[in-house]
Structures are given as structure tokens and as C-alpha cells.
């Protein structure tokens, strides 16, 4: 079963009708075969693609679904495991330590949950978004990089980014849907009130 995780860096080769990828190098000093700072923010980029262009986001949905399914196995009672699963059949050989407490890892990884998953029950997915939102809300913006991901993941998880996309004429509709609904949960925080949002397909249950 795929973990949905990708490596920080990989070289991809086209061989006939197939693709082959390998690691063994780094573009910024981060380990190539690690799910780390470079890899996790790629998850947010794909989530952003889904939020901005849901009607054309079939590949984004396919990418995010196994990540959401993986996160379901890492959360219990609002608490997140300190480790993610390494799949021996993929290029990822290690996970950056403390992924769930470092917001430059946890924040972008959590944003995979904004796309309704075909592998996770909608009620359970809402629980995961709530737990993710509470973890993000517990962190202060007190440095550049992690602090930036606290801000970015907050507006992604609470629906602000989706609403901005819809307000600009983007982000309406979705693949195979006739409309969408929104479930919003208010989270207790030590600062301003924060909400977490997941979009639920009002049609077939797929996004």
C-alpha cells in the first residue's frame, strides 16, 4: 500500500512509454531520499492546484488521496504520531525527525486533507482536519520558515484560500461533481478564533 510520500529530490527519466526515477543527490543540502522540507511543501503545491482548479484536478486528487489515507493511520484522539510510515516500494527511505511538531513539515502535509478523499470516510476526514487545525493553531509564528508555514497552512485548512479562489472566479465545481458543500468547525485556540474546513461532494462522494 502506497504511503503517498515523495522524496525531497529525484531525477526522472523517460524510457519509452514509462518513467523511471532515482535519488542519490540533493539540490539544497536536504537528503534526496528523505520525506522532508522540500517534499512536504510539494504536497501543499498540489493541494493548491486542487483548490484553484478543482474541475481540472484529477491528477491532484490522485496524488493527495494516499497522503490523506496515510495521515488517517497517524492520528488518534487528536494526537499525531511522531513518525510516518516508510514504504519499502518507493524512493523515500527516511522521514525528517519530528514531522508532526515542525510546522514546515506538518503544515504542508496536513493540507492534503482539503481534498475529499476516496479512501477516508468524510466524517473521519473532518476529524483529521480538526486535529490538524488544532496542531497548527497551537504553534506561534515566531520564526521565518516554520512561521510562514503556520500562516500558509492555516489559510489552507480553514477554507480562507478556497474562498479567495472562489471570489476570484477560480475554485468552483470539481471533477465529477454537481456542487459542493462545506463543513466548518470552530477550534479553541489561545489567539483569534480559527476554523477548519473540508469540502464535501454533494454528489457521488468523490472529488
Amino acid at each position: 500500500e502506497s504511503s503517498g510520500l515523495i522524496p525531497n529530490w529525484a531525477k526522472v527519466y523517460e524510457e519509452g512509454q514509462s518513467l523511471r526515477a532515482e535519488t542519490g543527490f540533493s539540490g539544497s543540502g536536504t537528503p534526496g531520499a528523505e520525506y522532508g522540507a522540500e517534499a512536504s511543501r510539494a504536497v501543499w503545491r498540489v493541494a493548491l492546484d486542487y483548490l484553484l482548479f478543482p474541475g481540472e484536478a484529477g491528477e491532484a486528487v490522485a496524488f493527495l488521496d494516499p497522503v490523506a489515507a496515510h495521515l488517517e493511520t497517524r492520528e488518534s484522539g487528536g494526537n499525531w504520531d511522531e513518525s510516518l510510515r516508510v514504504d519499502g516500494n518507493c524512493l523515500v527511505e527516511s522521514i525528517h525527525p519530528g514531522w508532526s511538531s515542525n510546522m514546515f513539515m506538518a503544515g504542508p502535509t496536513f493540507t492534503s486533507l482539503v481534498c475529499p478523499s476516496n479512501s477516508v470516510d468524510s466524517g473521519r476526514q473532518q476529524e483529521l482536519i480538526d486535529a490538524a487545525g488544532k496542531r497548527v493553531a497551537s504553534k506561534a509564528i515566531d520564526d521565518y520558515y516554520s512561521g510562514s508555514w503556520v500562516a500558509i497552512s492555516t489559510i489552507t485548512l480553514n477554507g480562507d484560500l478556497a474562498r479567495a479562489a472562489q471570489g476570484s472566479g477560480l475554485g468552483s465545481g470539481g471533477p465529477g461533481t454537481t456542487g459542493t458543500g462545506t463543513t466548518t468547525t470552530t477550534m479553541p485556540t489561545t489567539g483569534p478564533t480559527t476554523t477548519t474546513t473540508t469540502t464535501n461532494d454533494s454528489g457521488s462522494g468523490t472529488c
Side-chain angles (χ1 to χ4, degrees):
E1 181 180 348
S2 173
S3 67
L5 304 182
I6 58 174
N8 283 326
W9 299 96
K11 292 180 179 179
V12 180
Y13 303 90
E14 184 175 1
E15 298 179 342
Q17 298 299 311
S18 62
L19 299 176
R20 178 177 62 85
E22 63 181 32
T23 58
F25 74 101
S26 174
S28 66
T30 54
E34 176 190 75
Y35 180 72
E38 311 289 354
S40 60
R41 63 188 182 183
V43 174
W44 176 79
R45 290 178 180 135
V46 178
L48 179 64
D49 183 47
Y50 168 74
L51 293 175
L52 295 181
F53 307 105
E56 304 172 19
E59 291 183 352
V61 172
F63 178 95
L64 296 169
D65 185 69
V67 183
H70 189 174
L71 288 178
E72 182 186 19
T73 69
R74 304 291 97 182
E75 187 275 341
S76 178
N79 299 312
W80 294 94
D81 287 351
E82 284 302 311
S83 63
L84 294 172
R85 187 179 73 254
V86 174
D87 182 348
N89 295 319
C90 73
L91 295 175
V92 176
E93 298 175 359
S94 63
I95 309 296
H96 190 284
W99 80 273
S100 64
S101 56
N102 288 314
M103 287 302 101
F104 64 83
M105 286 285 299
T109 302
F110 287 153
T111 65
S112 64
L113 297 166
V114 300
C115 174
S117 172
N118 296 319
S119 302
V120 182
D121 175 82
S122 61
R124 173 61 175 149
Q125 188 168 357
Q126 184 65 57
E127 292 176 355
L128 295 173
I129 285 199
D130 291 346
K134 289 176 182 177
R135 175 59 61 92
V136 173
S138 72
K139 303 295 183 178
I141 300 178
D142 54 14
D143 64 9
Y144 157 65
Y145 196 57
S146 285
S148 295
W149 279 111
V150 170
I152 294 168
S153 56
T154 295
I155 65 172
T156 306
L157 289 169
N158 71 7
D160 283 349
L161 192 53
R163 284 187 285 272
Q166 292 169 356
S168 68
L170 302 172
S172 58
T177 70
T178 56
T180 58
T182 302
T183 301
T184 303
T185 301
T186 301
M187 300 189 313
T189 70
T190 56
T193 300
T194 307
T195 59
T196 58
T197 303
T198 185
T199 303
N200 295 312
D201 180 6
S202 61
S204 64
T206 61
C207 57

